[in-house]
mmCIF file with all atom_site columns, all heavy atoms in Angstrom:
data_model
loop_
_atom_site.group_PDB
_atom_site.id
_atom_site.type_symbol
_atom_site.label_atom_id
_atom_site.label_alt_id
_atom_site.label_comp_id
_atom_site.label_asym_id
_atom_site.label_entity_id
_atom_site.label_seq_id
_atom_site.pdbx_PDB_ins_code
_atom_site.Cartn_x
_atom_site.Cartn_y
_atom_site.Cartn_z
_atom_site.occupancy
_atom_site.B_iso_or_equiv
_atom_site.pdbx_formal_charge
_atom_site.auth_seq_id
_atom_site.auth_comp_id
_atom_site.auth_asym_id
_atom_site.auth_atom_id
_atom_site.pdbx_PDB_model_num
ATOM 1   N N   . SER D 1 84 ? 30.603 -27.104 -32.420 1.00 0.00 ? 293 SER D N   1
ATOM 2   C CA  . SER D 1 84 ? 29.682 -27.857 -33.282 1.00 0.00 ? 293 SER D CA  1
ATOM 3   C C   . SER D 1 84 ? 28.219 -27.477 -33.068 1.00 0.00 ? 293 SER D C   1
ATOM 4   O O   . SER D 1 84 ? 27.346 -27.924 -33.822 1.00 0.00 ? 293 SER D O   1
ATOM 5   C CB  . SER D 1 84 ? 29.850 -29.362 -33.043 1.00 0.00 ? 293 SER D CB  1
ATOM 6   O OG  . SER D 1 84 ? 29.555 -29.664 -31.693 1.00 0.00 ? 293 SER D OG  1
ATOM 7   N N   . ASP D 1 85 ? 27.938 -26.660 -32.058 1.00 0.00 ? 294 ASP D N   1
ATOM 8   C CA  . ASP D 1 85 ? 26.549 -26.212 -31.828 1.00 0.00 ? 294 ASP D CA  1
ATOM 9   C C   . ASP D 1 85 ? 26.138 -25.075 -32.749 1.00 0.00 ? 294 ASP D C   1
ATOM 10  O O   . ASP D 1 85 ? 24.959 -24.700 -32.796 1.00 0.00 ? 294 ASP D O   1
ATOM 11  C CB  . ASP D 1 85 ? 26.371 -25.763 -30.373 1.00 0.00 ? 294 ASP D CB  1
ATOM 12  C CG  . ASP D 1 85 ? 26.521 -26.896 -29.383 1.00 0.00 ? 294 ASP D CG  1
ATOM 13  O OD1 . ASP D 1 85 ? 26.173 -28.048 -29.730 1.00 0.00 ? 294 ASP D OD1 1
ATOM 14  O OD2 . ASP D 1 85 ? 26.995 -26.634 -28.247 1.00 0.00 ? 294 ASP D OD2 1
ATOM 15  N N   . ALA D 1 86 ? 27.095 -24.487 -33.450 1.00 0.00 ? 295 ALA D N   1
ATOM 16  C CA  . ALA D 1 86 ? 26.780 -23.387 -34.363 1.00 0.00 ? 295 ALA D CA  1
ATOM 17  C C   . ALA D 1 86 ? 25.826 -23.878 -35.447 1.00 0.00 ? 295 ALA D C   1
ATOM 18  O O   . ALA D 1 86 ? 26.150 -24.803 -36.202 1.00 0.00 ? 295 ALA D O   1
ATOM 19  C CB  . ALA D 1 86 ? 28.054 -22.846 -34.996 1.00 0.00 ? 295 ALA D CB  1
ATOM 20  N N   . ALA D 1 87 ? 24.636 -23.283 -35.493 1.00 0.00 ? 296 ALA D N   1
ATOM 21  C CA  . ALA D 1 87 ? 23.581 -23.739 -36.397 1.00 0.00 ? 296 ALA D CA  1
ATOM 22  C C   . ALA D 1 87 ? 22.390 -22.805 -36.239 1.00 0.00 ? 296 ALA D C   1
ATOM 23  O O   . ALA D 1 87 ? 22.426 -21.858 -35.447 1.00 0.00 ? 296 ALA D O   1
ATOM 24  C CB  . ALA D 1 87 ? 23.156 -25.173 -36.054 1.00 0.00 ? 296 ALA D CB  1
ATOM 25  N N   . GLU D 1 88 ? 21.327 -23.100 -36.970 1.00 0.00 ? 297 GLU D N   1
ATOM 26  C CA  . GLU D 1 88 ? 20.078 -22.365 -36.783 1.00 0.00 ? 297 GLU D CA  1
ATOM 27  C C   . GLU D 1 88 ? 19.121 -23.231 -35.976 1.00 0.00 ? 297 GLU D C   1
ATOM 28  O O   . GLU D 1 88 ? 19.009 -24.440 -36.222 1.00 0.00 ? 297 GLU D O   1
ATOM 29  C CB  . GLU D 1 88 ? 19.439 -22.007 -38.119 1.00 0.00 ? 297 GLU D CB  1
ATOM 30  C CG  . GLU D 1 88 ? 18.193 -21.137 -37.973 1.00 0.00 ? 297 GLU D CG  1
ATOM 31  C CD  . GLU D 1 88 ? 18.130 -20.015 -38.972 1.00 0.00 ? 297 GLU D CD  1
ATOM 32  O OE1 . GLU D 1 88 ? 18.651 -20.185 -40.077 1.00 0.00 ? 297 GLU D OE1 1
ATOM 33  O OE2 . GLU D 1 88 ? 17.536 -18.970 -38.641 1.00 0.00 ? 297 GLU D OE2 1
ATOM 34  N N   . TYR D 1 89 ? 18.439 -22.618 -35.037 1.00 0.00 ? 298 TYR D N   1
ATOM 35  C CA  . TYR D 1 89 ? 17.542 -23.337 -34.130 1.00 0.00 ? 298 TYR D CA  1
ATOM 36  C C   . TYR D 1 89 ? 16.122 -22.796 -34.301 1.00 0.00 ? 298 TYR D C   1
ATOM 37  O O   . TYR D 1 89 ? 15.905 -21.582 -34.325 1.00 0.00 ? 298 TYR D O   1
ATOM 38  C CB  . TYR D 1 89 ? 18.006 -23.164 -32.681 1.00 0.00 ? 298 TYR D CB  1
ATOM 39  C CG  . TYR D 1 89 ? 19.311 -23.868 -32.411 1.00 0.00 ? 298 TYR D CG  1
ATOM 40  C CD1 . TYR D 1 89 ? 20.518 -23.304 -32.799 1.00 0.00 ? 298 TYR D CD1 1
ATOM 41  C CD2 . TYR D 1 89 ? 19.351 -25.123 -31.803 1.00 0.00 ? 298 TYR D CD2 1
ATOM 42  C CE1 . TYR D 1 89 ? 21.727 -23.963 -32.598 1.00 0.00 ? 298 TYR D CE1 1
ATOM 43  C CE2 . TYR D 1 89 ? 20.547 -25.784 -31.585 1.00 0.00 ? 298 TYR D CE2 1
ATOM 44  C CZ  . TYR D 1 89 ? 21.724 -25.195 -31.992 1.00 0.00 ? 298 TYR D CZ  1
ATOM 45  O OH  . TYR D 1 89 ? 22.909 -25.854 -31.787 1.00 0.00 ? 298 TYR D OH  1
ATOM 46  N N   . PHE D 1 90 ? 15.193 -23.731 -34.408 1.00 0.00 ? 299 PHE D N   1
ATOM 47  C CA  . PHE D 1 90 ? 13.795 -23.365 -34.602 1.00 0.00 ? 299 PHE D CA  1
ATOM 48  C C   . PHE D 1 90 ? 12.948 -23.869 -33.436 1.00 0.00 ? 299 PHE D C   1
ATOM 49  O O   . PHE D 1 90 ? 13.001 -25.053 -33.090 1.00 0.00 ? 299 PHE D O   1
ATOM 50  C CB  . PHE D 1 90 ? 13.243 -23.960 -35.904 1.00 0.00 ? 299 PHE D CB  1
ATOM 51  C CG  . PHE D 1 90 ? 13.844 -23.367 -37.147 1.00 0.00 ? 299 PHE D CG  1
ATOM 52  C CD1 . PHE D 1 90 ? 14.892 -24.002 -37.789 1.00 0.00 ? 299 PHE D CD1 1
ATOM 53  C CD2 . PHE D 1 90 ? 13.370 -22.176 -37.655 1.00 0.00 ? 299 PHE D CD2 1
ATOM 54  C CE1 . PHE D 1 90 ? 15.455 -23.456 -38.937 1.00 0.00 ? 299 PHE D CE1 1
ATOM 55  C CE2 . PHE D 1 90 ? 13.917 -21.619 -38.809 1.00 0.00 ? 299 PHE D CE2 1
ATOM 56  C CZ  . PHE D 1 90 ? 14.968 -22.261 -39.442 1.00 0.00 ? 299 PHE D CZ  1
ATOM 57  N N   . CYS D 1 91 ? 12.171 -22.959 -32.878 1.00 0.00 ? 300 CYS D N   1
ATOM 58  C CA  . CYS D 1 91 ? 11.150 -23.325 -31.901 1.00 0.00 ? 300 CYS D CA  1
ATOM 59  C C   . CYS D 1 91 ? 9.875  -23.610 -32.690 1.00 0.00 ? 300 CYS D C   1
ATOM 60  O O   . CYS D 1 91 ? 9.531  -22.858 -33.616 1.00 0.00 ? 300 CYS D O   1
ATOM 61  C CB  . CYS D 1 91 ? 10.950 -22.176 -30.922 1.00 0.00 ? 300 CYS D CB  1
ATOM 62  S SG  . CYS D 1 91 ? 9.741  -22.488 -29.633 1.00 0.00 ? 300 CYS D SG  1
ATOM 63  N N   . VAL D 1 92 ? 9.189  -24.686 -32.340 1.00 0.00 ? 301 VAL D N   1
ATOM 64  C CA  . VAL D 1 92 ? 8.084  -25.170 -33.165 1.00 0.00 ? 301 VAL D CA  1
ATOM 65  C C   . VAL D 1 92 ? 6.928  -25.590 -32.273 1.00 0.00 ? 301 VAL D C   1
ATOM 66  O O   . VAL D 1 92 ? 7.136  -26.217 -31.238 1.00 0.00 ? 301 VAL D O   1
ATOM 67  C CB  . VAL D 1 92 ? 8.547  -26.385 -34.003 1.00 0.00 ? 301 VAL D CB  1
ATOM 68  C CG1 . VAL D 1 92 ? 7.451  -26.837 -34.955 1.00 0.00 ? 301 VAL D CG1 1
ATOM 69  C CG2 . VAL D 1 92 ? 9.821  -26.076 -34.775 1.00 0.00 ? 301 VAL D CG2 1
ATOM 70  N N   . SER D 1 93 ? 5.721  -25.249 -32.680 1.00 0.00 ? 302 SER D N   1
ATOM 71  C CA  . SER D 1 93 ? 4.549  -25.743 -31.955 1.00 0.00 ? 302 SER D CA  1
ATOM 72  C C   . SER D 1 93 ? 3.738  -26.661 -32.862 1.00 0.00 ? 302 SER D C   1
ATOM 73  O O   . SER D 1 93 ? 3.791  -26.541 -34.081 1.00 0.00 ? 302 SER D O   1
ATOM 74  C CB  . SER D 1 93 ? 3.679  -24.592 -31.459 1.00 0.00 ? 302 SER D CB  1
ATOM 75  O OG  . SER D 1 93 ? 3.016  -23.972 -32.541 1.00 0.00 ? 302 SER D OG  1
ATOM 76  N N   . TYR D 1 94 ? 3.026  -27.551 -32.231 1.00 0.00 ? 303 TYR D N   1
ATOM 77  C CA  . TYR D 1 94 ? 2.190  -28.491 -32.966 1.00 0.00 ? 303 TYR D CA  1
ATOM 78  C C   . TYR D 1 94 ? 0.749  -28.046 -32.823 1.00 0.00 ? 303 TYR D C   1
ATOM 79  O O   . TYR D 1 94 ? 0.233  -27.950 -31.705 1.00 0.00 ? 303 TYR D O   1
ATOM 80  C CB  . TYR D 1 94 ? 2.356  -29.905 -32.423 1.00 0.00 ? 303 TYR D CB  1
ATOM 81  C CG  . TYR D 1 94 ? 1.350  -30.895 -32.959 1.00 0.00 ? 303 TYR D CG  1
ATOM 82  C CD1 . TYR D 1 94 ? 1.339  -31.238 -34.304 1.00 0.00 ? 303 TYR D CD1 1
ATOM 83  C CD2 . TYR D 1 94 ? 0.414  -31.494 -32.121 1.00 0.00 ? 303 TYR D CD2 1
ATOM 84  C CE1 . TYR D 1 94 ? 0.425  -32.146 -34.801 1.00 0.00 ? 303 TYR D CE1 1
ATOM 85  C CE2 . TYR D 1 94 ? -0.504 -32.409 -32.610 1.00 0.00 ? 303 TYR D CE2 1
ATOM 86  C CZ  . TYR D 1 94 ? -0.492 -32.727 -33.960 1.00 0.00 ? 303 TYR D CZ  1
ATOM 87  O OH  . TYR D 1 94 ? -1.393 -33.629 -34.450 1.00 0.00 ? 303 TYR D OH  1
ATOM 88  N N   . GLY D 1 95 ? 0.116  -27.786 -33.961 1.00 0.00 ? 304 GLY D N   1
ATOM 89  C CA  . GLY D 1 95 ? -1.289 -27.393 -33.957 1.00 0.00 ? 304 GLY D CA  1
ATOM 90  C C   . GLY D 1 95 ? -2.154 -28.632 -34.021 1.00 0.00 ? 304 GLY D C   1
ATOM 91  O O   . GLY D 1 95 ? -2.431 -29.129 -35.098 1.00 0.00 ? 304 GLY D O   1
ATOM 92  N N   . GLY D 1 96 ? -2.593 -29.126 -32.880 1.00 0.00 ? 305 GLY D N   1
ATOM 93  C CA  . GLY D 1 96 ? -3.289 -30.408 -32.855 1.00 0.00 ? 305 GLY D CA  1
ATOM 94  C C   . GLY D 1 96 ? -4.447 -30.505 -33.815 1.00 0.00 ? 305 GLY D C   1
ATOM 95  O O   . GLY D 1 96 ? -4.582 -31.481 -34.545 1.00 0.00 ? 305 GLY D O   1
ATOM 96  N N   . ALA D 1 97 ? -5.297 -29.471 -33.829 1.00 0.00 ? 306 ALA D N   1
ATOM 97  C CA  . ALA D 1 97 ? -6.482 -29.515 -34.681 1.00 0.00 ? 306 ALA D CA  1
ATOM 98  C C   . ALA D 1 97 ? -6.101 -29.525 -36.154 1.00 0.00 ? 306 ALA D C   1
ATOM 99  O O   . ALA D 1 97 ? -6.785 -30.124 -36.982 1.00 0.00 ? 306 ALA D O   1
ATOM 100 C CB  . ALA D 1 97 ? -7.379 -28.329 -34.379 1.00 0.00 ? 306 ALA D CB  1
ATOM 101 N N   . THR D 1 98 ? -5.020 -28.882 -36.487 1.00 0.00 ? 307 THR D N   1
ATOM 102 C CA  . THR D 1 98 ? -4.606 -28.788 -37.884 1.00 0.00 ? 307 THR D CA  1
ATOM 103 C C   . THR D 1 98 ? -3.558 -29.830 -38.248 1.00 0.00 ? 307 THR D C   1
ATOM 104 O O   . THR D 1 98 ? -3.254 -30.011 -39.417 1.00 0.00 ? 307 THR D O   1
ATOM 105 C CB  . THR D 1 98 ? -4.008 -27.407 -38.182 1.00 0.00 ? 307 THR D CB  1
ATOM 106 O OG1 . THR D 1 98 ? -2.838 -27.239 -37.364 1.00 0.00 ? 307 THR D OG1 1
ATOM 107 C CG2 . THR D 1 98 ? -5.002 -26.301 -37.888 1.00 0.00 ? 307 THR D CG2 1
ATOM 108 N N   . ASN D 1 99 ? -3.012 -30.482 -37.239 1.00 0.00 ? 308 ASN D N   1
ATOM 109 C CA  . ASN D 1 99 ? -1.984 -31.502 -37.448 1.00 0.00 ? 308 ASN D CA  1
ATOM 110 C C   . ASN D 1 99 ? -0.758 -30.959 -38.172 1.00 0.00 ? 308 ASN D C   1
ATOM 111 O O   . ASN D 1 99 ? -0.130 -31.659 -38.945 1.00 0.00 ? 308 ASN D O   1
ATOM 112 C CB  . ASN D 1 99 ? -2.550 -32.703 -38.206 1.00 0.00 ? 308 ASN D CB  1
ATOM 113 C CG  . ASN D 1 99 ? -1.765 -33.967 -37.918 1.00 0.00 ? 308 ASN D CG  1
ATOM 114 O OD1 . ASN D 1 99 ? -1.119 -34.093 -36.895 1.00 0.00 ? 308 ASN D OD1 1
ATOM 115 N ND2 . ASN D 1 99 ? -1.800 -34.901 -38.845 1.00 0.00 ? 308 ASN D ND2 1
#
Side-chain angles (χ1 to χ4, degrees):
Chain D
S293 61
D294 294 328
E297 185 137 30
Y298 292 79
F299 292 97
C300 181
V301 185
S302 71
Y303 170 65
T307 62
N308 205 24

